């Protein structure tokens, strides 16, 4: 198994499409740190807070600990852990990792491969992003873990798991279904006949087997697409907008563009087009949306 295939096939806990991006997030973080210092190691006690923030922002809604991937990523043969007492992880307990001085870094064979083939790091990072996160979060995630990637390379050489073909018609079909306006706020900007700032959002992420079909899509403006993928916004029963109680915005713009959306019916799709399927809405609510929705805004 080559490094790209191994990256695409990290062993993760799975159940009914549940997200478990703990290992991919740690791996991305480790690649970013390796890019900055190829000889350094990551002492658990020193990086624990960084990893907690990554999991809180890009992980599933339920609380979790970075101790789990710090220990278990070793089993994928891309990561090694040692303690003050020698090689090997003390386990997945937070106390044990802290007390033993546990430190991790990329596996020796992988470090050798990265030195021999410098472009491999970027290719592995892109596989991790493609397989585990929606495109709207890729650039932001790279910034969060300190990764600097070169412009998108050719698709040649990526494992088939990372090259599942998208349907190029998805964007046009979804935008047409919603008559070229954001389903949350109604934004419909264009330059001439070309829509600007409107995107086709997958409700169930493509990375988690979300189909390229209209009933798994929403036409959203760039702002609301990002907030939807970050779990600030969702779609509830009756196809009404959900706004997370965890979202805090004090400006009038935040109130008007986000909190005031709570409970509003979606705009679209046009008559005769299937709305978002209940199964896809439920997946997004369980796996992406953060916390409890706010009550409907008072007009």
């Amino acid at each position: 198994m080559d490094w790209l295939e191994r990256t695409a096939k990290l062993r993760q806990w799975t159940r009914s499409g549940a997200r478990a991006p703990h290992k991919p997030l740690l791996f991305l973080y480790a690649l970013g740190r390796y890019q900055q210092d190829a000889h350094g190691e990551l002492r658990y006690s020193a990086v624990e807070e960084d990893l907690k923030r990554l999991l809180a922002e890009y992980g599933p809604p339920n609380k979790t600990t970075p101790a789990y991937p710090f220990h278990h990523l070793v089993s994928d043969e891309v990561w090694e852990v040692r303690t003050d007492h020698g090689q090997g992880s003390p386990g997945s307990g937070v106390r044990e990792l802290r007390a033993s001085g546990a430190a991790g870094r990329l596996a020796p064979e992988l470090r050798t491969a990265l030195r021999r083939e410098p472009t491999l790091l970027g290719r592995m990072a892109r596989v991790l992003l493609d397989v585990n996160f929606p495109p709207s979060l890729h650039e932001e995630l790279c910034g969060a873990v300190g990764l600097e990637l070169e412009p998108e390379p050719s698709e040649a050489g990526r494992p088939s798991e990372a090259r599942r073909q998208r349907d190029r018609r998805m964007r046009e079909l979804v935008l047409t279904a919603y008559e070229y306006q954001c389903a949350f706020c109604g934004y419909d900007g264009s330059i001439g006949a070309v829509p600007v700032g409107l995107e086709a959002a997958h409700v169930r992420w493509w990375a988690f087997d979300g189909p390229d079909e209209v009933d798994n899509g929403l036409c959203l403006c760039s702002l609301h697409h990002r907030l939807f993928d970050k779990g600030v916004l969702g779609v509830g029963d009756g196809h009404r907008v959900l706004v997370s109680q965890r979202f805090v915005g004090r400006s009038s713009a935040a109130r008007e563009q986000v909190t005031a959306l709570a409970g509003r019916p979606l705009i679209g799709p046009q008559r005769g087009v299937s709305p978002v399927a209940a199964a896809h809405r439920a997946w997004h609510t369980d796996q992406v949306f953060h916390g409890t929705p706010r009550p409907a805004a008072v007009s």
Side-chain angles (χ1 to χ4, degrees):
M1 188 183 298
D2 69 16
W3 291 110
L4 293 182
E5 191 174 359
R6 190 171 296 178
T7 299
K9 292 183 175 179
L10 292 181
R11 288 190 282 268
Q12 300 179 58
W13 179 87
T14 57
R15 186 186 66 187
S16 303
R19 293 175 60 219
H22 311 71
K23 286 182 176 181
L25 284 170
L26 172 59
F27 200 0
L28 281 169
Y29 183 81
L31 290 173
R33 293 291 293 267
Y34 177 89
Q35 193 175 56
Q36 298 164 28
D37 179 7
H39 302 290
E41 61 181 15
L42 307 180
R43 199 169 182 87
Y44 181 80
S45 58
V47 302
E48 182 179 8
E49 290 305 314
D50 282 353
L51 297 175
K52 279 183 179 178
R53 282 191 292 270
L54 284 174
L55 283 168
E57 191 162 359
Y58 301 102
N62 53 301
K63 290 186 177 180
T64 188
T65 169
Y68 171 86
F70 203 92
H71 167 72
H72 287 288
L73 188 58
V74 172
S75 66
D76 294 281
E77 300 180 357
V78 297
W79 175 253
E80 66 174 3
V81 175
R82 67 162 188 82
T83 69
D84 292 340
H85 308 293
Q87 197 68 23
S89 172
S92 59
V94 173
R95 290 182 180 177
E96 291 83 356
L97 288 167
R98 290 174 182 165
S100 64
R105 61 177 180 173
L106 300 178
E109 297 84 357
L110 176 53
R111 298 199 306 273
T112 299
L114 291 171
R115 288 193 295 271
R116 185 172 58 244
E117 188 180 355
T119 61
L120 178 60
L121 186 147
R123 291 158 61 207
M124 292 176 70
R126 290 187 189 281
V127 168
L128 287 167
L129 292 168
D130 287 347
V131 171
N132 297 284
F133 304 98
S136 66
L137 299 183
H138 289 186
E139 183 177 354
E140 179 183 312
L141 242 175
C142 285
V145 299
L147 266 173
E148 293 187 15
L149 299 185
E150 297 296 322
E152 186 73 39
S154 165
E155 292 292 320
R158 289 200 195 180
S160 58
E161 290 78 9
R163 289 190 289 108
R164 175 179 150 227
Q165 294 298 305
R166 294 174 183 266
D167 187 339
R168 296 180 182 276
R169 301 171 300 167
M170 168 79 169
R171 179 177 183 276
E172 186 63 28
L173 290 172
V174 170
L175 267 60
T176 299
Y178 286 83
E179 300 181 286
Y180 292 87
Q181 57 183 335
C182 176
F184 288 167
C185 70
Y187 168 82
D188 61 354
S190 64
I191 294 179
V194 180
V196 177
L198 286 172
E199 300 164 358
H202 282 76
V203 179
R204 181 181 181 124
W205 292 356
W206 184 86
F208 285 82
D209 298 322
D212 284 334
E213 297 173 1
V214 172
D215 70 357
N216 186 41
L218 287 171
C219 177
L220 297 178
C221 67
S222 299
L223 170 64
H224 290 132
H225 188 179
R226 179 67 62 85
L227 295 178
F228 186 64
D229 283 347
K230 292 295 288 287
V232 172
L233 300 175
V235 180
D237 294 337
H239 295 88
R240 292 181 177 273
V241 181
L242 303 179
V243 179
S244 173
Q245 287 186 346
R246 297 181 186 176
F247 174 79
V248 176
R250 298 178 179 84
S251 67
S252 59
R255 290 193 297 273
E256 293 165 7
Q257 292 295 318
V258 184
T259 53
L261 297 177
R264 284 188 191 177
L266 293 183
I267 300 169
Q270 60 180 283
R271 185 172 298 178
V273 176
S274 298
V276 178
H280 301 324
R281 289 192 285 110
W283 182 90
H284 186 276
T285 301
D286 291 342
Q287 299 300 319
V288 181
F289 187 75
H290 280 278
T292 305
R294 291 170 176 261
V298 179
S299 303

